[in-house]
Amino acid sequence: EVRQQQYEARRRQEFIDALNREAQACQLAQEQYTKDVEENSLVHQQIQKERAERKYEKHYNMCLETLLHIVDFGTKIGDYNHLTDNLVPHKIYVDWKNLFLANLPLYEEDLAPELQEEIDEEGNVVIVDRTANMNAEIEKEKVLDESDFNDYLDLVCEWSNTEPNFPSPQGNIVLGHIIHRIDKIVN
């Protein structure tokens, strides 16, 4: 009986020791899991921060580019008005508007090809031809040609074969009749 009590006490002690070891292993696993979650959270926050910075930079650059195009458009109209003391002809205004909508520069740019020396990954000097300005001029011509062709197909601007008709004012029949009569007399 004493032996059984010793066996029982030893088994109980081994059981308690096993439970303690299991509790320590669980606690270590829980601490490791908490540590992993915190690390993953930090990585996730860093990724979100970088994504937000890229998104902000993209939108900032897009707004800046649009603002610069608007300033160029206004400056171009102001320069033309200052030089000619007149309003901008419709055809020129439409061309500038089409260039603006196509996100192309309104002002002439340097057409000389730019040759620049760059160092590649292996440390060699490489001469690079920068013909972006020439490509922009070609793109401008393409947009303007397409615009002229569409005007020709739609018979608008200088392709129109009729004189402009004055619309009759809404709600004033007498004034509309007078304008219509004057238009007939002139034509």
Side-chain angles (χ1 to χ4, degrees):
E1 200 171 283
V2 172
R3 242 178 197 221
Q4 281 185 344
Q5 287 178 352
Q6 287 176 345
Y7 284 140
E8 191 175 309
R10 189 189 305 155
R11 277 191 233 145
R12 188 174 292 142
Q13 187 60 37
E14 287 176 358
F15 181 71
I16 291 173
D17 290 343
L19 284 177
N20 288 339
R21 283 192 304 269
E22 188 68 28
Q24 287 177 349
C26 286
Q27 186 176 5
L28 288 175
Q30 185 177 10
E31 289 173 0
Q32 183 64 35
Y33 177 76
T34 304
K35 182 180 175 185
D36 290 344
V37 167
E38 289 174 358
E39 288 176 0
N40 288 340
S41 177
L42 291 175
V43 169
H44 180 69
Q45 288 174 356
Q46 182 66 27
I47 290 171
Q48 281 187 327
K49 182 180 177 184
E50 290 172 0
R51 184 180 295 155
E53 287 174 359
R54 283 193 310 267
K55 185 177 179 180
Y56 172 80
E57 185 176 334
K58 173 187 165 190
H59 288 117
Y60 179 83
N61 289 336
M62 183 175 62
C63 291
L64 178 64
E65 186 175 332
T66 302
L67 179 66
L68 292 176
H69 280 297
I70 290 170
V71 168
D72 282 349
F73 192 68
T75 306
K76 190 80 167 179
I77 291 172
D79 287 346
Y80 193 89
N81 284 340
H82 179 69
L83 291 174
T84 62
D85 292 330
N86 199 356
L87 293 176
V88 179
H90 182 70
K91 172 64 178 144
I92 294 175
Y93 178 78
V94 168
D95 287 347
W96 291 346
K97 183 184 77 167
N98 288 331
L99 290 175
F100 174 77
L101 293 175
N103 202 19
L104 294 171
L106 295 175
Y107 287 100
E108 299 293 325
E109 295 184 13
D110 185 19
L111 295 178
E114 299 177 18
L115 299 177
Q116 295 180 346
E117 292 182 1
E118 292 185 1
I119 299 175
D120 63 1
E121 296 172 359
E122 299 168 359
N124 300 326
V125 176
V126 179
I127 296 178
V128 178
D129 183 15
R130 304 273 185 212
T131 58
N133 292 340
M134 295 174 75
N135 291 338
E137 291 300 318
I138 292 170
E139 188 68 25
K140 282 170 67 172
E141 289 178 18
K142 181 180 174 185
V143 166
L144 293 176
D145 289 345
E146 185 176 318
S147 172
D148 285 341
F149 183 69
N150 288 335
D151 288 347
Y152 171 74
L153 290 178
D154 296 336
L155 294 175
V156 295
C157 293
E158 71 264 7
W159 302 106
S160 176
N161 59 0
T162 61
E163 292 297 319
N165 291 329
F166 296 103
S168 61
Q170 297 291 329
N172 193 342
I173 298 171
V174 174
L175 184 59
H177 177 71
I178 293 171
I179 292 175
H180 184 64
R181 292 286 305 245
I182 292 173
D183 187 37
K184 279 187 177 181
I185 293 170
V186 171
N187 289 333

